[in-house]
Amino acid sequence: QKEVEQNSGPLSVPEGAIASLNCTYSDRGSQSFFWYRQYSGKSPELIMFIYSNGDKEDGRFTAQLNKASQYVSLLIRDSQPSDSATYLCAVKGETGFQKLVFGTGTRLLVSP
Amino acid sequence: AAGVIQSPRHLIKEKRETATLKCYPIPRHDTVYWYQQGPGQDPQFLISFYEKMQSDKGSIPDRFSAQQFSDYHSELNMSSLELGDSALYFCASSATGVPSSYNEQFFGPGTRLTVL
């Protein structure tokens, strides 16, 4: 079983809708959780990170974390066609040097 | 704002040749990470360095080696290249002077390595 699980999608939503991306992780010691957006052939771009249970909002993006359920999600409000990309969930352990463990990513398609 | 710089952006090599990838972290970032991403796959951690010392090691083949220099740039050396080494290689950097668990990693544009 992969340490970080995501539905590969594609997740298709119409323009203006809310896109909901989910991620589960297996290591209960994980401390920090990151969402990256990656366009095909490009590098991962950091969208948000969260480390406390609850919600964290930044513009159209909201990250949600539930450590008891080992679950983290990303909501994208007012989805735009330019949001179409692969969204990677990444998890990091306790220390400052810890590697990121990525999920396989969810491909999001936003149709005009 | 300055970003992570990687060179070269594209590299074509023959089997059994060697390759050197370079990474220049964001100014004042002291930690460098190397990731490998194969087609359709998620990035896989290879190795990281903090203050010129190896800080973590992942699934890096013995044919690969890396180091971080006094100016914090890092080089990934790959020898006896195989067809399966064809991938995108990303470098990321972070600053560890802030509360340790939350240091975001910022990725460079990557080097696309093709082994023929």
Side-chain angles (χ1 to χ4, degrees), chain B residues 32-103:
Chain B
V32 168
Y33 309 79
W34 286 98
Y35 293 86
Q36 177 192 58
Q37 188 175 29
Q41 299 180 3
D42 52 287
Q44 293 292 315
F45 172 75
L46 294 177
I47 195 166
S48 63
F49 293 87
Y50 167 69
E51 290 291 346
K52 285 85 73 178
M53 300 281 289
Q54 181 181 305
S55 53
D56 200 359
K57 190 173 182 180
S59 52
I60 184 170
D62 292 340
R63 301 177 287 108
F64 295 6
S65 65
Q67 57 182 326
Q68 185 180 31
F69 296 86
S70 58
D71 63 351
Y72 295 101
H73 96 272
S74 178
E75 294 183 4
L76 177 66
N77 299 294
M78 311 160 73
S79 63
S80 302
L81 287 169
E82 302 174 355
L83 295 178
D85 296 329
S86 295
L88 273 168
Y89 289 84
F90 292 111
C91 171
S93 72
S94 69
T96 55
V98 295
S100 60
S101 292
Y102 316 135
N103 293 338

Side-chain angles (χ1 to χ4, degrees), chain A:
Chain A
Q1 182 186 2
K2 199 166 166 58
E3 293 181 55
V4 181
E5 299 271 2
Q6 292 181 259
N7 188 319
S8 60
L11 172 65
S12 295
V13 300
E15 184 175 357
I18 296 175
S20 178
L21 305 162
N22 304 315
C23 170
T24 58
Y25 60 95
S26 59
D27 183 2
R28 284 196 171 274
S30 301
Q31 294 292 317
S32 307
F33 307 87
F34 303 81
W35 283 100
Y36 285 85
R37 176 174 63 196
Q38 187 174 31
Y39 296 107
S40 181
K42 303 297 185 182
S43 61
E45 173 192 2
L46 181 65
I47 296 175
M48 291 191 70
F49 71 94
I50 187 169
Y51 50 85
S52 298
N53 278 326
D55 295 359
K56 178 182 179 182
E57 186 174 319
D58 184 1
R60 297 187 295 115
F61 300 97
T62 299
Q64 300 174 316
L65 175 61
N66 184 325
K67 288 187 178 180
S69 300
Q70 296 175 246
Y71 174 91
V72 59
S73 66
L74 179 70
L75 299 177
I76 306 175
R77 290 181 298 281
D78 189 23
S79 295
Q80 300 297 309
S82 59
D83 293 328
S84 298
T86 296
Y87 289 79
L88 297 163
C89 172
V91 174
K92 195 161 78 163
E94 296 185 45
T95 71
F97 312 127
Q98 280 286 346
K99 64 185 179 183
L100 289 176
V101 178
F102 284 88
T104 52
T106 297
R107 186 175 169 212
L108 174 66
L109 297 175
V110 181
S111 54

